[in-house]
Amino acid sequence: GAGASADSGIGTFRGTGGAWSGISGAIALAWGGTPIGWRWTPGLVWSRFVEDFYGPIVAAQPHDGHCALVELQQTMGSSALRFVTMNVDGLHQAAGAQSVAEVHGSVVRFRCMACHDSVDPKL
């Protein structure tokens, strides 16, 4: 659920102090979360993405909750317990989870908009 990765040091989007909370969050979302910001100030938007969003995610490690869910999945079998997550951090998979559906995709894999190839970025 929301905040599942907070114990791994990844901030939530809408919680207190979250990326999209308050006036600064609304401005960040309106600017950096739209094609307008990317088109007019790509360097600024990209640097904020890497420093504020991507950086903490790639530095994070699965916590005990992630590992407990994997243990449960291993006990029940991956066909009996599947994950559906809105998290984009890949921590369920990093903990060993199988059958993970990522509703919002993942920031640990990028897809080329021209050729649609998937790549693992090294930023």
Side-chain angles (χ1 to χ4, degrees), residues 66-85:
H66 292 112
C67 297
L69 288 171
V70 169
E71 286 181 33
L72 182 61
Q73 186 182 50
Q74 290 170 343
T75 300
M76 295 178 66
S78 61
S79 62
L81 179 61
R82 298 177 183 187
F83 293 85
V84 178
T85 182

Side-chain angles (χ1 to χ4, degrees), residues 36-117:
I36 295 168
W38 283 96
R39 176 170 294 166
W40 289 355
T41 57
L44 173 66
V45 174
W46 184 250
S47 68
R48 299 284 21 118
F49 168 79
V50 171
E51 291 176 31
D52 299 338
F53 186 66
Y54 179 80
I57 287 174
V58 297
Q61 297 294 315
H63 59 69
D64 290 344
H66 292 112
C67 297
L69 288 171
V70 169
E71 286 181 33
L72 182 61
Q73 186 182 50
Q74 290 170 343
T75 300
M76 295 178 66
S78 61
S79 62
L81 179 61
R82 298 177 183 187
F83 293 85
V84 178
T85 182
M86 292 192 296
N87 293 344
V88 297
D89 53 44
L91 290 180
H92 289 296
Q93 294 92 323
Q98 303 295 311
S99 301
V100 180
E102 298 169 315
V103 175
H104 295 301
S106 172
V107 298
V108 297
R109 287 183 316 280
F110 289 7
R111 182 172 306 278
C112 175
M113 293 177 66
C115 69
H116 304 288
D117 282 347

